[in-house]
Amino acid sequence: MPSTLFEKLWNAHVVHEQAGQPSLLYIDLHLLHEVTSPQAFAGLRAAARGVRRPNLTFATADHNVPTTNRALPIADPIAAIQIETLAQNCREFNIQLFDFNSAEQGIVHVIGPELGLTQPGMTVVCGDSHTSTHGHGAFGALAFGIGTTEVEHVLATQCVPQNKPRTMLIQTKGHLPEGVSAKDLALGIIGQIGTDGATGHVIEYAGEAVCSLSMEGRMTLCNMSIEAGARAGMVAPDDQTFHYLQGRPFAPSGAERDAALAYWQTFKTDPGAAFDQVVEIDAATLEPFVTWGTSPGMVVPISGNVPDPRAGRTAAERGSTERALEYMALAPHTSIENISIDRVFIGSCTNARLEDLRAAARVVNGYRISRSVKAMVVPGSQNVKRAAEAEGIDQVFREAGFEWREPGCSMCLGMKPDILKAGERCASTSNRNFEGRQGRGGRTHLVSPMMAAAAAISGHFTDVRKWEFKE
Amino acid sequence: MIPFRIHSGRVALLDRANVDTDQIVPKQFLKRIERTGFGAFLFHDWRYLPDGEPNPSFSLNHPRYRGASILVTGKNFGCGSSREHAPWALVDFGFRAIIAPSFADIFANNCLKNGLLPVVLGDTQVAKLGARARENEDYEVTVNLEECTVTDSQGFSSVFAIEEFQRQCLLDGLDDIGLTLHLEAEIAAYEIKRPAWIR
Ligand code: SF4
């Protein structure tokens, strides 16, 4: 029977099955970070259990690391304890750590693919919801976020019990127009299906617009799957994927690569395989998107306006629109282009890879940021930062008035000190615009890197499709 | 894990949809390395005004909901970040069950691992419970996991669905890591077959 990419991944990892119980899945790669792992290690110790496969487990510090000078001690004592606890746990249990000061440090979802840890056909977990979404899925891997108790489960057994999710195919038609990025595709999808549109499902993205995305673009797209409620998002691996992996430190090489290639090629959906749900997206008609509210589904094209709560279909919808507009301090019908901003954040596991920084720098090149705006770029990893610096991208940003920071999650989740002040409005390339996400009272608008860059220069949202590039 | 069998308790209403885990426990409190003590931070930015005083307009601050152990709320509760700190905070605050039309996947899973029961009821039933909590002082319901029912003294009675395996784990307070460790032979047999380059 023809099967989907997801079913192949699932079936290849079932260790144990029993009717009426979740299946026990084997995990090929387990990634850890400092925020969701300490209690898992404490649990192991309390039960006198060990880590079953330290060699399939990797850790990095990203959520709480300062993005300013790394030579200084960490100012926040509690963050310092968390980062030190991770280091101690990794030493005790023999786990490779890309520490706060290492040349490979970065956001866990950026470094997994970058180091070649993530490969097609794998199961990948991390105590972080964006595992599903982040890059790993872009490789034809089944990657999903888990809670801390499950982190402990995987540490102890290298397996995790899971109920089989349903499958959703998102079939794109046509190509994304110039100036419309993978981020806009992701926001457009969430706008169409809603933040719970894919709950209980694993999404496979397919069609022309997806195939023609770069690997980094696919990572951005998969990254946002969780914002539609999905357990995971994936794209079938193709030649571009195999090429991307070539020569990466943890990717197979030599004779092993040949064997791996043959195996990887089997991970695609067979013609005629059935999905539980199919959604069609007309990519050619998409525009750059901007969120106006406090959930990623509250999104409109740049040419649009802030909605009127009275237009909501249900009382609940009207109520949540009203509440969101109040929090965001926006009046109904305001044109998106007329919304002024105070801060710009280019970073996060969604949009802090080299291609993202290149796209934003192309917009910024030759301009200065608006005098009323404070802007920062936080590369996704040390590798991204070095590569960008080698191309002179840091200079483009610096000359325009952006701050150029050290890698980490930074203002994506607004861990101190990288936060918005109450009332500040931010154009952000991250993935969540929840109330207070970037700082209590802060107002977040999600956009693509190019749109964030253009907003930094203009001081308000502006349609990057009309941008005058100074090459 | 504390077993969950039959629980009666006061109901608190949080009448919002899509409550995300950033609201349940704001990130500034994620730096602790223990599992306990998160109740103090539950819904922090909603519960407290910027000056640190309790926010009188936030429903959980209403005196009538004090001591509630059952939360009734809107759809897609627990969306967003996978932080298990969210159920830890709810449990630490005193909640044993949450009743909503739907839950985000990772959150529901995390609840089950912490003895906190996510109960899915239809929109109209949830609305009915919400209205009763709003209208009656000391409104209580009973969540019975042995029979999978939610009932009150005014004749409300509704059945909910839950996976049998999860139900058993909750009823017995089972540690599922222990269960998996019993499958050692199968795990070892699986490992031998894994491709060489990822071993
Ligand atoms: S960048 Fe943001 S979304 Fe990504 S892992 Fe860090 S905190 Fe989570």
Side-chain angles (χ1 to χ4, degrees):
Chain A
M1 211 175 80
S3 46
T4 62
L5 165 58
F6 163 75
E7 280 156 350
K8 291 181 188 180
L9 280 161
W10 181 270
N11 293 339
H13 290 90
V14 173
V15 171
H16 176 83
E17 252 176 334
Q18 205 166 311
Q21 288 188 18
S23 304
L24 192 65
L25 283 193
Y26 198 84
I27 300 304
D28 294 317
L29 174 64
H30 185 192
L31 300 168
L32 301 169
H33 66 69
E34 75 277 23
V35 176
T36 53
S37 66
Q39 293 88 352
F41 282 107
L44 278 188
R45 261 188 224 104
R49 289 170 179 152
V51 174
R52 184 182 176 90
R53 297 298 303 269
N55 63 329
L56 303 181
T57 314
F58 296 84
T60 192
D62 54 6
H63 281 63
N64 272 332
V65 297
T67 56
T68 46
N69 192 346
R70 287 281 153 91
L72 299 173
I74 300 173
D76 178 346
I78 312 176
I81 289 176
Q82 226 175 33
I83 292 167
E84 181 44 37
T85 304
L86 178 67
Q88 270 172 15
N89 285 330
C90 288
R91 272 195 302 274
E92 182 181 336
F93 291 98
N94 221 355
I95 291 165
Q96 185 163 358
L97 167 68
F98 302 105
D99 201 2
F100 164 63
N101 281 314
S102 88
E104 273 80 34
Q105 179 268 340
I107 304 174
V108 64
H109 311 313
V110 174
I111 70 171
E114 184 176 85
L115 297 174
L117 287 166
T118 310
Q119 297 163 22
M122 277 189 168
T123 44
V124 183
V125 294
C126 174
D128 192 284
S129 58
H130 285 95
T131 312
S132 52
T133 59
H134 79 60
H136 304 318
F139 290 79
L142 175 60
F144 52 94
I146 55 178
T148 298
T149 301
E150 289 172 310
V151 169
E152 186 181 332
H153 202 131
V154 178
L155 287 171
T157 67
Q158 203 56 34
C159 296
V160 69
Q162 289 287 306
N163 286 316
K164 194 173 181 180
R166 291 181 292 277
T167 54
M168 174 185 278
L169 174 67
I170 296 197
Q171 181 72 39
T172 59
K173 281 195 322 199
H175 289 275
L176 290 173
E178 203 42 48
V180 181
S181 69
K183 176 66 160 286
D184 300 304
L185 176 56
L187 288 171
I189 290 169
I190 298 163
Q192 182 171 326
I193 70 176
T195 51
D196 56 358
T199 299
H201 290 74
V202 165
I203 300 176
E204 180 174 346
Y205 299 97
E208 291 168 311
V210 173
C211 293
S212 55
L213 285 177
S214 67
M215 283 308 289
E216 301 200 346
R218 294 177 191 181
M219 292 181 214
T220 301
L221 177 62
C222 289
N223 179 279
M224 295 284 288
S225 310
I226 184 80
E227 272 24 280
R231 286 295 279 139
M234 51 179 68
V235 174
D238 59 9
D239 287 345
Q240 209 194 134
T241 320
F242 309 141
H243 183 76
Y244 176 96
L245 281 161
Q246 183 126 33
R248 306 231 163 224
F250 290 90
S253 57
E256 285 202 329
R257 180 169 162 95
D258 298 335
L261 263 176
Y263 179 71
W264 293 345
Q265 274 157 348
T266 63
F267 287 96
K268 53 173 184 267
T269 292
D270 299 327
F275 288 82
D276 296 307
Q277 263 200 75
V278 178
V279 173
E280 284 199 0
I281 299 281
D282 192 352
T285 61
L286 295 180
E287 294 182 39
F289 281 94
V290 180
T291 62
W292 53 265
T294 51
S295 119
M298 294 174 163
V299 67
V300 285
I302 178 69
S303 63
N305 297 325
V306 173
D308 189 332
R310 285 172 300 181
R313 281 159 303 182
T314 60
E317 194 183 319
R318 290 190 287 275
S320 65
T321 303
E322 231 161 66
R323 206 186 134 71
L325 290 186
E326 189 189 324
Y327 182 85
M328 295 296 286
L330 289 172
H333 308 295
T334 309
S335 145
I336 298 293
E337 292 206 65
N338 285 340
I339 301 176
S340 304
I341 52 155
D342 312 301
R343 303 282 296 266
V344 170
F345 170 66
I346 298 181
S348 90
C349 58
T350 313
N351 278 136
R353 298 183 184 81
L354 186 58
E355 183 183 290
D356 301 314
L357 304 191
R358 277 187 190 142
R362 218 182 122 230
V363 172
V364 167
N365 192 17
Y367 287 97
R368 271 207 64 85
I369 59 173
S370 160
R371 271 194 299 168
S372 56
V373 169
K374 264 174 59 182
M376 66 200 265
V377 182
V378 184
S381 69
Q382 295 292 351
N383 274 307
V384 169
K385 181 166 178 264
R386 275 192 300 276
E389 287 172 355
E391 291 180 15
I393 286 178
D394 60 322
Q395 272 313 319
V396 173
F397 283 118
R398 282 204 176 100
E399 278 162 22
F402 280 83
E403 286 184 64
W404 179 255
R405 293 292 190 88
E406 294 291 326
C409 295
S410 178
M411 219 162 73
C412 171
L413 82 164
M415 282 287 199
K416 270 190 175 147
D418 297 355
I419 52 174
L420 295 180
K421 292 207 239 359
E424 277 187 325
R425 190 180 293 288
C426 179
S428 177
T429 66
S430 54
N431 43 52
R432 286 184 178 147
N433 51 347
F434 300 148
E435 278 183 34
R437 169 82 178 178
Q438 297 192 291
R440 188 169 183 167
R443 299 174 178 135
T444 303
H445 296 268
L446 304 177
V447 287
S448 74
M450 278 195 282
M451 286 288 288
I457 311 286
S458 313
H460 56 84
F461 292 111
T462 179
D463 190 342
V464 76
R465 291 171 302 176
K466 299 183 217 148
W467 194 253
E468 269 183 50
F469 291 94
K470 300 187 187 171
E471 303 293 338
Chain B
M1 195 171 77
I2 343 159
F4 189 114
R5 305 190 84 88
I6 300 172
H7 176 80
S8 300
R10 182 177 290 189
V11 176
L13 171 66
L14 178 63
D15 192 10
R16 295 185 189 182
N18 300 311
V19 171
D20 60 80
T21 52
D22 273 81
Q23 308 312 327
I24 300 175
V25 184
K27 73 258 152 190
Q28 62 268 34
F29 307 114
L30 299 187
K31 292 174 184 169
R32 298 168 60 84
I33 55 172
E34 303 84 25
R35 270 173 207 252
T36 49
F38 284 96
F41 314 128
L42 181 73
F43 297 118
H44 181 275
D45 291 0
W46 285 346
R47 245 167 87 200
Y48 299 101
L49 297 167
D51 64 5
E53 287 300 306
N55 176 2
S57 64
F58 181 58
S59 64
L60 289 197
N61 286 336
H62 291 181
R64 62 173 352 170
Y65 293 151
R66 197 158 292 152
S69 57
I70 296 168
L71 184 68
V72 170
T73 187
K75 68 157 190 159
N76 200 25
F77 186 80
C79 59
S81 155
S82 61
R83 59 188 69 161
E84 197 161 314
H85 311 69
W88 295 339
L90 287 157
V91 169
D92 198 56
F93 190 80
F95 286 112
R96 299 292 332 267
I98 309 173
I99 303 176
S102 63
F103 293 90
D105 290 332
I106 302 178
F107 175 80
N109 223 340
N110 285 339
C111 287
L112 293 167
K113 310 251 182 257
N114 288 280
L116 178 63
L117 179 64
V119 178
V120 177
L121 292 184
D123 287 313
T124 36
Q125 273 104 338
V126 174
K128 189 175 276 175
L129 292 176
R132 289 187 182 179
R134 205 184 282 122
E135 286 154 16
N136 302 287
E137 289 288 337
D138 303 328
Y139 179 62
E140 284 202 1
V141 300
T142 298
V143 179
N144 182 333
L145 186 60
E146 289 171 355
E147 290 167 1
C148 292
T149 56
V150 177
T151 51
D152 73 3
S153 60
Q154 304 172 32
F156 181 94
S157 175
S158 188
V159 183
F160 62 90
I162 178 171
E163 297 252 347
E164 185 47 30
F165 177 71
Q166 284 165 342
R167 192 176 82 96
Q168 278 308 329
C169 286
L170 276 167
L171 286 173
D172 300 339
L174 282 184
D175 160 12
D176 56 343
I177 298 180
L179 294 179
T180 300
L181 286 169
H182 283 305
L183 299 170
E184 169 58 32
E186 278 173 76
I187 301 172
Y190 178 89
E191 281 178 326
I192 294 171
K193 298 183 308 195
R194 296 175 72 237
W197 63 92
I198 46 174
R199 235 167 239 171

